[in-house]
Amino acid sequence: MRNDLTIYDKVADRWWSDGIRWVRTLKNLVPGRLKWFDQHIDWQGKDVLDLGCAGGFMAEALAERGAHVTGIDPASDAIDAARDHARAGKLRIAYDVGVGEALPYDDASFDAVVCVDVLEHVADLHRVLSEIARTMRPGGLLLFDTINRNPLARFASITIAEDMLRLLPRGTHDPAMFIKPKELRAAFQGVGLVPGPITGLGPRGLNRRLDLTFGPLPLTAILYMGIACKPAHEALT
């Protein structure tokens, strides 16, 4: 089975235990993403949606930066784990169960939407981006990452990461759903978002547990992250 999204609920009770290597990999990606995202936004006081939040790694990091965070994910058990952990840490994060194709929020609800490790999994990319654009305020920012579609990305993400190193469970990704940057830029423009800069994301070293750490890289051929903005004013017709 490819694009297996049941993996998040299967380990929900151990999401914050640090006992599962691939879950630690997801946790270790957060600081590397934020090292670049932080250059583009001041999170303090912003209303932020973490779309595809799973058990809450990114959501908690954003809340600790002073954002007012809402997290949403279809994995209900993972959402329960996220709620419990936020409550234990006295973090005020609103969590909902739902999908990106039908966000249960009013128009112009958020200053920013964070969407990491998500776009290469969704059933209807255009619909998800339309919903993101709808719920963003004028001048708002989408911050994302995803996987490029080419033989090198397939080899690194499937053969090495899933099959050899087991950094992710086998079947996590379907390489046919990977997205080329030019395709994503066109999709943004199709829903009224203005594409911004992109950069690569990848391994930068090892921590004390010999797990990979991550950060920005110039190479965008495998993992890449970027931003897109909603125009502050509609164009005159």
Side-chain angles (χ1 to χ4, degrees):
M1 178 179 178
R2 286 292 179 189
N3 197 39
D4 183 5
L5 302 183
T6 67
I7 60 174
Y8 303 103
D9 275 337
K10 289 176 181 177
V11 299
D13 59 334
R14 294 172 287 163
W15 191 261
W16 289 91
S17 71
D18 278 344
I20 304 172
R21 186 185 183 195
W22 73 263
V23 177
R24 294 199 309 269
T25 299
L26 298 183
K27 187 176 183 180
N28 292 340
L29 278 160
V30 172
R33 289 163 168 154
L34 287 173
K35 184 175 182 179
W36 194 76
F37 288 167
D38 287 348
Q39 300 174 31
H40 298 277
I41 185 172
D42 178 3
W43 303 102
Q44 184 67 42
K46 297 291 195 303
D47 294 318
V48 179
L49 176 64
D50 181 6
L51 173 54
C53 63
F57 292 150
M58 178 64 79
E60 292 207 1
L62 298 176
E64 290 168 353
R65 281 163 164 73
H68 307 301
V69 182
T70 300
I72 188 168
D73 199 281
S76 58
D77 291 343
I79 287 290
D80 287 341
R83 287 191 182 117
D84 290 344
H85 196 267
R87 190 178 302 115
K90 303 188 184 306
L91 293 173
R92 298 183 64 180
I93 302 173
Y95 283 112
D96 298 306
V97 177
V99 297
E101 289 86 350
L103 294 175
Y105 309 114
D106 293 337
D107 296 355
S109 292
F110 302 104
D111 300 302
V113 176
V114 175
C115 190
V116 295
D117 190 23
V118 171
L119 297 178
E120 70 273 18
H121 292 289
V122 299
D124 188 335
L125 179 62
H126 177 80
R127 183 61 185 165
V128 170
L129 295 180
S130 295
E131 283 290 272
I132 288 172
R134 179 185 66 79
T135 57
M136 286 170 59
R137 292 173 183 146
L141 202 63
L142 167 64
L143 305 102
F144 68 90
D145 73 18
T146 192
I147 306 176
N148 208 332
R149 192 177 73 254
N150 57 56
L152 178 60
R154 177 175 183 145
F155 179 73
S157 301
I158 306 296
T159 304
I160 294 180
E162 293 187 17
D163 297 339
M164 296 175 60
L165 299 182
R166 301 296 177 91
L167 298 178
L168 293 168
R170 283 181 172 172
T172 298
H173 293 104
D174 179 351
M177 299 176 74
F178 294 169
I179 310 167
K180 294 182 179 181
K182 65 179 181 181
E183 296 170 345
L184 194 52
R185 286 194 294 269
F188 288 151
Q189 293 168 339
V191 299
L193 297 178
V194 179
I198 66 170
T199 191
L201 173 65
R204 297 298 299 268
L206 297 172
N207 62 19
R208 292 181 180 179
R209 300 187 72 159
L210 300 182
D211 291 334
L212 289 171
T213 60
F214 298 87
L217 293 171
L219 176 71
T220 60
I222 302 173
L223 280 168
Y224 64 98
M225 51 185 171
I227 61 173
C229 67
K230 184 173 183 176
H233 303 286
E234 296 294 333
L236 296 177
T237 58

